Amino acid sequence: MPGFMPGIHVFFLGQDVDGRDKPGHDGARTAGVAMTYIAKPKFQHPGLPKNDLGYTHRDYEGKVSTLCAGCGHDSITASIIEACYELSIEPHRVAKISGIGCSSKTPDYFLGNSHGFNSVHGRMPSVLTGANLANRDLIYLGVSGDGDSASIGFGQFAHSIRRGVNMTYIVENNGVYGLTKGQFSATADRGSKSKKGVMNNDNAIDLVAIALQLGASFAARSFSGDKTQLVPLIAAAIQHKGAAFIDVISPCVAFNNHAGSTKSFDYVREHNDAVNRLDVITGRDPITVDYAPGTVQEVEQHDGTKLALRKIDADYDAHDRVAAMSFLQRHAAKGQIVTGLLYVDPEAEDLHAHLDTVDTPLNQLDEKALCPGSAALDKFNASLR
Ligand SMILES: Cc1ncc(C[n+]2csc(CCOP(=O)(O)OP(=O)(O)O)c2C)c(N)n1
Ligand code: SF4
Ligand SMILES: [Mg+2]
């Protein structure tokens, strides 16, 4: 749509530029009211800090967000940008895939130079699985919402986790369908209240508990308002080879940030029980942080990356899947939100290992490799007899 001024574009509330619904904040309800968004200037200050690749933070950003001011999802976007900057990831090696929802719009706001696929509501996991099978060389970042993953896409979520797809799967969990104006989602706690005072009587789905039960080899929970905790969790998940799942409580300021909600900023701050803190140490850097003896546990991953896990709860063991599940449930019963790296299996195998696929990405196999001739076919058939 043509802009009124260079760099300033105009679109109409009620519909996004792609024709989809706008976020459900009150101001966005009136269709036909013009508003503007500002394209980011391309200029970068020459003094901006650079990472090992010579990229600045700006190189990991995307378009200007059109979400409500104060939305938790925007803080998660900032954490993803920070994690990718710190890991010196080449943006063209990332594929970011999402479903539908305010949360699923966010890949537009980070990694503007990466591959992206905004799929259908709840279908991010199968699109990501297919892309991963076709090209194992990319870094897969799945971004979804609690409605996207715990309702319509619950089965999709389950199968991508149980198959061990090598991905970082982030759910931006606000307990409501933000985009469609604040209905309870399946992660809303029983007994919590909607903005209009209606009580939720259904039991909540705890996506971390389900991911653990389904065999996720990396499972974490965090809070959009705790960047110090979230950035290293995202960085570690990206480097983990297997299904890495992070549930990020991300308050919806338009529909779920009131008294009576268990996903509001105030509630999460008051009930956040962090079991550990993580530092990601790339192969090059030695551990230089001065920890008290016994409080740090070193976890070495496949690629040589080390995770330094600082224990806050001395009894918590992030290598014990069954204990993690029971710990989560005991604390949830007391209304506490357990955050941190809840489980990691550094020896995890991914779907490609399960299927014994070749190292070369399938989309790069040439005709000779795909059609090796009748002699090879005869040999293969003979092996099955
Ligand atoms: C097949 C289908 N059903 C329903 C919808 C309507 N719809 C759009 S987004 C959404 C829920 C979004 O909730 P969530 O995934 O939690 O994202 P949020 O907006 O809260 O970040 C629904 C029901 C749709 N787009 N497609
Ligand atoms: S999730 Fe809520 S606060 Fe965030 S953009 Fe959507 S409606 Fe607005
Ligand atoms: Mg939601």
Side-chain angles (χ1 to χ4, degrees):
M1 188 169 294
F4 288 154
M5 289 168 62
I8 299 182
H9 304 260
V10 177
F11 61 96
F12 291 88
L13 288 174
Q15 273 209 326
D16 205 341
V17 278
D18 56 3
R20 291 193 174 117
D21 290 345
K22 280 282 296 151
H25 49 93
D26 290 350
R29 285 186 193 160
T30 332
V33 180
M35 69 174 276
T36 57
Y37 76 92
I38 299 169
K40 276 189 187 170
K42 294 224 177 343
F43 172 77
Q44 291 201 30
H45 191 283
L48 284 177
K50 293 185 173 149
N51 64 12
D52 292 351
L53 292 177
Y55 291 142
T56 68
H57 275 92
R58 290 290 307 277
D59 295 312
Y60 294 89
E61 290 178 1
K63 291 184 192 149
V64 176
S65 170
T66 59
L67 302 187
C68 306
C71 176
H73 299 351
D74 279 334
S75 306
I76 302 174
T77 292
S79 293
I80 292 172
I81 290 169
E82 179 67 33
C84 292
Y85 169 83
E86 284 180 10
L87 290 177
S88 292
I89 284 177
E90 295 166 299
H92 69 274
R93 290 202 50 236
V94 178
K96 38 178 194 162
I97 299 172
S98 61
I100 296 291
C102 299
S103 35
S104 291
K105 286 170 59 127
T106 63
D108 215 18
Y109 313 140
F110 60 80
L111 295 177
N113 295 318
S114 300
H115 307 275
F117 196 130
N118 189 199
S119 71
V120 180
H121 196 25
R123 272 48 165 203
M124 175 277 281
S126 55
V127 174
L128 189 152
T129 303
N132 183 302
L133 281 173
N135 184 0
R136 61 188 301 168
D137 265 3
L138 297 180
I139 296 165
Y140 288 93
L141 199 51
V143 178
S144 182
D146 42 316
D148 205 54
S149 282
S151 292
I152 193 168
F154 196 39
Q156 298 244 332
F157 156 78
H159 292 291
S160 66
I161 298 285
R162 65 177 266 278
R163 287 180 173 139
V165 180
N166 186 14
M167 62 182 170
T168 297
Y169 190 138
I170 297 176
V171 166
E172 307 193 344
N173 184 357
N174 52 21
V176 288
Y177 300 164
L179 189 77
T180 54
K181 309 197 193 317
Q183 303 86 345
F184 283 125
S185 80
T187 66
D189 289 306
R190 187 171 182 173
S192 59
K193 284 194 180 142
S194 74
K195 195 173 173 182
K196 289 191 175 159
V198 178
M199 174 91 80
N200 175 37
N201 293 318
D202 297 333
N203 292 314
I205 291 175
D206 182 336
L207 288 171
V208 175
I210 306 276
L212 283 168
Q213 195 269 316
L214 291 167
S217 44
F218 181 112
R221 172 165 284 134
S222 191
F223 171 41
S224 62
D226 188 352
K227 220 175 152 189
T228 320
Q229 182 190 55
L230 183 54
V231 172
L233 282 175
I234 295 172
I238 288 174
Q239 290 184 302
H240 179 77
K241 193 181 173 197
F245 178 72
I246 312 179
D247 180 51
V248 189
I249 312 292
S250 175
C252 168
V253 291
F255 296 112
N256 208 8
N257 196 30
H258 47 271
S261 159
T262 57
K263 301 276 192 288
S264 66
F265 278 109
D266 286 348
Y267 187 92
V268 182
R269 280 196 194 105
E270 280 159 26
H271 296 80
N272 188 345
D273 185 3
V275 291
N276 50 37
R277 289 273 162 181
L278 192 65
D279 292 302
V280 178
I281 296 128
T282 53
R284 297 176 300 281
D285 309 324
I287 296 181
T288 51
V289 197
D290 192 14
Y291 298 111
T295 57
V296 69
Q297 191 183 10
E298 219 178 286
V299 184
E300 186 160 348
Q301 305 214 95
H302 266 309
D303 64 349
T305 318
K306 292 193 184 99
L307 309 180
L309 206 53
R310 279 176 283 150
K311 286 191 169 206
I312 296 174
D313 185 322
D315 297 332
Y316 195 81
D317 180 3
H319 295 300
D320 188 337
R321 182 186 295 277
V322 177
M325 289 161 73
S326 111
F327 190 93
L328 270 184
Q329 307 238 315
R330 270 187 284 125
H331 284 70
K334 290 187 270 180
Q336 284 163 330
I337 302 165
V338 177
T339 59
L341 178 56
L342 303 172
Y343 177 75
V344 62
D345 173 3
E347 299 299 321
E349 285 187 336
D350 78 331
L351 178 60
H352 281 279
H354 299 165
L355 295 175
D356 199 17
T357 53
V358 289
D359 289 342
T360 311
L362 302 186
N363 67 343
Q364 287 173 31
L365 294 177
D366 58 14
E367 200 182 337
K368 189 163 175 286
L370 292 169
C371 305
S374 53
L377 180 63
D378 290 345
K379 196 174 160 199
F380 177 72
N381 282 339
S383 76
L384 299 174
R385 284 194 190 105

